[in-house]
Amino acid sequence: MFKIIDIKEIGERTKEMVVEAPLVARKADAGQFVVVMVDEKSERIPLTIADFDKEKGTVTIVFLEIGYSTKRLGELKAGDSLAHFIGPLGKASDIKEKEGAMIFVGGGVGIAAIYPIARKAKQLGNEVISIIGARTKDLLMWEDRMREISDELIVTTDDGSYGIKGVVTQPLKDILEKRKDIKKVVTVGPAIMMKFVALTTAPFRVKTIASLNPIMVDGTGMCGGCRVDVGGETKFACVDGPEFDAHQVDFDSLMKRLAMYKKEEKIAMSCRGE
Ligand code: FAD
Ligand code: FES
Ligand code: MG
């Protein structure tokens, strides 16, 4: 069992949970994820390791209460335990050395997911420019944490309720037009956002990495549920990724597959009376 040390609301329908998981924390690296099960029979939920403390033996996850299983997870209290907290899974981030200036583009809960990657880049001596965006101010999270590890931070909201009104790709394009020394762009967020980040960076020929979030089941390369098309090849995001060359990813098929179980997800929610 994995004890919940802390759980708090950090935005609209968004929770931050700190879990006691010393073995996961000891091995955790930026870009990896865990699979969480509330009880022995519940759905397996893949969630990014948003932070970890190797000394305290804790791992932090941040999740949007979007459906049946994440709502159930969000109902737990500090002191409760999770049946399973499997990880760290997936390959660690591609950021492994000092390369120069990099741009990190995070959207929605993808902001918490990009945080440890950007932090690692900063620790390695890279210049970190971060662009974070959400639909509205209430869905924006971890601005303070991102500011701490960024040389420059740009905030956007679709509705203009905070920061620059608009989407993350506009400031991204502005920076790429001004600066020819950007070595890499890393993006985590909704598939549609990552698709447009890739389309924005392609004409500038800047290496772009996207952390993909297809539907996963086991998270260990056995079920094939997480298959994605990258450069015409089938890859399993859970073991070959989750990071891939964004210019090679077929985002349209990813989005189609993400919507595959909409009917069943609706039925599950109706069991909650919602
Ligand atoms: P449902 O109603 O079942 O689903 C809502 C939508 O979520 C679906 O339409 C589908 O697009 C997606 N989804 C459903 N089941 C899965 C599944 N097993 N795997 C992936 N997507 C699914 N979300 C966060 O809020 N924070 C994170 O840090 C985060 N990190 C992720 C890292 C990885 C590697 C992956 C693959 C996904 C991550 N997600 C993250 C997405 C998260 O797993 C889904 O939102 C969650 O599983 C939805 O479950 P549900 O039952 O509450 O919602
Ligand atoms: Fe089963 Fe990746 S989740 S193979
Ligand atoms: Mg579900």
Side-chain angles (χ1 to χ4, degrees), residues 43-45 66-70 261 264-265 268:
E43 193 175 22
R44 299 164 72 91
I45 316 169
I66 194 176
Y68 183 87
S69 298
T70 45
Y261 298 106
E264 290 80 1
E265 287 153 5

Side-chain angles (χ1 to χ4, degrees), residues 106-157:
V109 278
I111 300 169
I114 213 167
Y115 167 75
I117 307 174
R119 178 176 63 182
K120 188 170 179 188
K122 181 71 185 162
Q123 284 165 348
L124 290 167
N126 294 290
E127 181 185 347
V128 171
I129 303 166
S130 303
I131 306 172
I132 59 172
R135 266 192 292 114
T136 175
K137 183 173 188 262
D138 294 338
L139 285 164
L140 199 71
M141 70 197 70
W142 282 23
E143 183 192 351
D144 48 346
R145 286 195 188 222
M146 288 301 293
R147 197 173 293 283
E148 234 172 65
I149 51 113
S150 303
D151 293 284
E152 185 184 350
L153 177 76
I154 298 160
V155 183
T156 67
T157 51

Side-chain angles (χ1 to χ4, degrees), residues 19-59:
V19 180
E20 193 175 70
L23 296 180
V24 181
R26 196 191 297 167
K27 293 240 166 178
D29 201 349
Q32 293 184 294
F33 66 95
V34 289
V35 166
V36 178
M37 284 176 78
V38 173
D39 62 43
E40 291 296 341
K41 289 195 172 167
S42 63
E43 193 175 22
R44 299 164 72 91
I45 316 169
L47 295 169
T48 306
I49 296 175
D51 200 2
F52 49 88
D53 187 323
K54 291 183 190 287
E55 275 171 27
K56 286 188 188 149
T58 57
V59 173

Side-chain angles (χ1 to χ4, degrees), residues 86-239:
I86 306 143
L89 299 171
K91 287 189 179 155
S93 175
D94 186 44
I95 310 279
K96 293 192 174 77
E97 56 191 354
K98 183 172 174 182
E99 292 177 62
M102 299 181 183
I103 307 178
F104 294 84
V105 187
V109 278
I111 300 169
I114 213 167
Y115 167 75
I117 307 174
R119 178 176 63 182
K120 188 170 179 188
K122 181 71 185 162
Q123 284 165 348
L124 290 167
N126 294 290
E127 181 185 347
V128 171
I129 303 166
S130 303
I131 306 172
I132 59 172
R135 266 192 292 114
T136 175
K137 183 173 188 262
D138 294 338
L139 285 164
L140 199 71
M141 70 197 70
W142 282 23
E143 183 192 351
D144 48 346
R145 286 195 188 222
M146 288 301 293
R147 197 173 293 283
E148 234 172 65
I149 51 113
S150 303
D151 293 284
E152 185 184 350
L153 177 76
I154 298 160
V155 183
T156 67
T157 51
D158 294 6
D159 64 358
S161 50
Y162 188 68
I164 301 169
K165 185 177 190 306
V167 288
V168 288
T169 43
Q170 190 53 53
L172 174 63
K173 186 164 179 261
D174 294 345
I175 297 170
L176 291 172
E177 273 167 356
K178 267 190 246 145
R179 290 187 58 167
K180 301 296 160 210
D181 62 333
I182 302 297
K183 293 280 184 282
K184 202 177 262 181
V185 172
V186 181
T187 183
V188 190
I192 186 76
M193 184 201 87
M194 294 193 285
K195 173 183 171 171
F196 281 98
V197 166
L199 288 172
T200 304
T201 60
F204 296 93
R205 297 175 186 275
V206 176
K207 185 169 180 189
T208 303
I209 306 286
S211 180
L212 305 186
N213 58 342
I215 288 181
M216 289 189 183
V217 185
D218 62 299
T220 59
M222 288 188 285
C223 69
C226 66
R227 61 188 178 274
V228 286
D229 185 329
V230 184
E233 277 181 51
T234 297
K235 300 277 181 192
F236 289 175
C238 67
V239 285

